[in-house]
Amino acid sequence: MRIDDRIHFCAPSRLIIELGYRNRLPGLVQHLGYRRGLLVTDGFFATQTPWVREYVAACERAGVQMIVYDGGLPDPTTDLCDRATSELRAVMGGRLPDHVVSLGGGSNIDLAKALCLTLPDGRAIRDFGNGVTSDAPIIDHIAVPTTAGTGSELTPGAILFDPSTGIKTAVMDNRLRPVVAAIDPELTFTCPPRVTAESGIDALTHALESFVTRDASEFDRNGSVDPGYSGRSALTMSFARESIRLAATYLLRCYEDGNDTEARVGMCYASVYAAMSYGSAGLNAVHGIAYGVAALTHKSHGATNAVVLPYVIDALCEVRHTELLEVARIFGVTLTDDVEAVRALPRKLRELVGKLGIPTDLNAFGIPQASLKDLLVDSLGVTRLAKAFPLGNIEESYAQIIDRAWHGGLRDEKTERLTAA
């Protein structure tokens, strides 16, 4: 407990974690009174797995009609959402679904969130960039993730890439949180190693970032009485702590052996706990800079987070010493000097990123040095994340993080590495 906490915590109406639960979900949908649904997924799940047809058939037997939209894509765009809105409204002929089910990774879940908002009135998703009014109708959403990482099934934001600006944009409202988060770990068992690695490091990033983000007592809620994100508290930190422990135990195991059932289930729990933390506490510099990295490289969200993560944690070694010492111990750092132990943590994280097959610096990630100034501008432009970073001079801190991330050097390493071309 922290007596100065200002807790504003939102969880889904129903959170379910159960092996094989996808087979039981139609019964819950019927029980909740839904009768006409939209399943949002992508071509892979619709054609290369039996999951979509099995779910639709089971719903039909339960008296629930399902329409399938399989046009989901990685990093969905605002344009994709608007096209899907127009196409689906034409197909439905004015009969809107009473619920939307998303099946897939964070991209499909985010697209489904956006469609829950745009389908009722046919509005463009950009209309909601500055907020969602209280009278805007939003369709109920049931999220079924197939990866252990994004946590989008528990969070209030729909993240879409806006081609007009070249960066990712967030549409935020607590009513965009799915009413049911149905996690079936079996759906992650066939994830290839790259997806396992990138989604898993995403979960760890969520947990770490929310564990060290700005406190709820000083978090800028922008005057909102119902903020999507409201800073870290003792409650969010308890979820983050458990997520970090699980990821430290199971992430590399899961990547190295996809048939390790215990590790697969462990990472599903790590992802959920991370989302329970950051879904209220919020995030900061890792995601803020990673959005800019994604705009330059168009690489996956998990990978863009991973390449930045060690350098952001390195910048916080003093201001978040107590918290990062705890994390260092979780990751097996045994140095007796507490300061040295904390300094070892960013190296541990960079080592983990490399073991997961992800580049450990921005240069190797494909970003030219000439683009670093643009990257800094784009990163600072995500103001909601910059304001949450618990350091004084945000612009200077971001610039140093980006420079070190490009050269691949941490603060306690030799300067030759930082100045090498």
Side-chain angles (χ1 to χ4, degrees), residues 117 121 123 125 127-138 171-176 226:
L117 186 57
D121 295 326
R123 296 173 62 185
I125 190 61
D127 289 353
F128 303 98
N130 292 322
V132 182
T133 58
S134 59
D135 60 348
I138 300 177
V171 178
M172 307 287 295
D173 192 277
N174 278 322
R175 291 176 297 154
L176 289 178
D226 188 25

Side-chain angles (χ1 to χ4, degrees), residues 40 42 45 72-76 102-114 141 143-155 157-160 168 195 199 202 206 271 278 301-302:
V40 176
D42 57 46
F45 293 116
L73 294 171
D75 293 322
S102 57
L103 176 71
S107 292
N108 289 350
I109 296 173
D110 281 354
L111 177 59
K113 287 180 180 178
H141 179 193
V144 185
T146 59
T147 61
T150 73
S152 185
E153 66 274 11
L154 284 90
T155 63
I159 311 298
L160 303 173
K168 290 185 177 182
V195 176
S199 58
D202 193 23
H206 291 151
S271 177
Y278 95 87
H301 178 62

Side-chain angles (χ1 to χ4, degrees), residues 66-288:
M66 295 298 301
I67 296 173
V68 176
Y69 175 79
D70 62 2
L73 294 171
D75 293 322
T77 65
T78 52
D79 292 344
L80 172 63
C81 179
D82 292 344
R83 288 196 305 271
T85 300
S86 178
E87 293 169 8
L88 286 166
R89 283 175 61 86
V91 168
M92 293 174 180
R95 295 187 62 204
L96 291 174
D98 54 20
H99 73 291
V100 172
V101 176
S102 57
L103 176 71
S107 292
N108 289 350
I109 296 173
D110 281 354
L111 177 59
K113 287 180 180 178
L115 289 172
C116 288
L117 186 57
T118 60
L119 282 174
D121 295 326
R123 296 173 62 185
I125 190 61
R126 289 188 184 92
D127 289 353
F128 303 98
N130 292 322
V132 182
T133 58
S134 59
D135 60 348
I138 300 177
I139 300 170
D140 286 356
H141 179 193
I142 298 172
V144 185
T146 59
T147 61
T150 73
S152 185
E153 66 274 11
L154 284 90
T155 63
I159 311 298
L160 303 173
F161 181 78
D162 188 342
S164 68
T165 62
I167 60 174
K168 290 185 177 182
T169 185
V171 178
M172 307 287 295
D173 192 277
N174 278 322
R175 291 176 297 154
L176 289 178
R177 296 178 191 266
V179 297
V180 178
I183 290 90
D184 178 353
E186 288 182 359
L187 293 175
T188 72
F189 285 4
T190 56
C191 281
R194 181 182 62 81
V195 176
T196 298
E198 293 176 356
S199 58
I201 199 71
D202 193 23
L204 176 59
T205 299
H206 291 151
L208 279 170
E209 250 186 309
S210 60
F211 194 58
V212 297
T213 198
R214 196 169 290 278
D215 286 331
S217 60
E218 58 183 30
F219 193 90
D220 183 1
R221 302 185 182 191
N222 201 29
S224 174
V225 297
D226 188 25
Y229 297 123
S230 53
R232 69 172 188 170
S233 66
L235 179 62
T236 64
M237 292 176 73
S238 67
F239 286 113
R241 186 177 291 109
E242 179 63 6
S243 176
I244 293 165
R245 186 190 69 80
L246 289 166
T249 303
Y250 293 118
L251 175 51
L252 198 57
R253 269 179 57 178
C254 198
Y255 171 69
E256 293 176 341
D257 181 6
N259 295 316
D260 187 334
T261 298
E262 179 181 320
R264 287 287 192 187
V265 175
M267 283 308 301
C268 284
Y269 275 89
S271 177
V272 168
Y273 287 137
M276 294 289 277
S277 178
Y278 95 87
S280 289
L283 302 166
N284 51 73
V286 179
H287 275 69

Side-chain angles (χ1 to χ4, degrees), residues 324-341:
L324 293 180
L325 178 60
E326 185 176 357
V327 175
R329 299 308 185 199
I330 290 173
F331 271 90
V333 176
T334 58
L335 295 169
T336 56
D337 184 289
D338 289 351
V339 172
E340 291 301 316

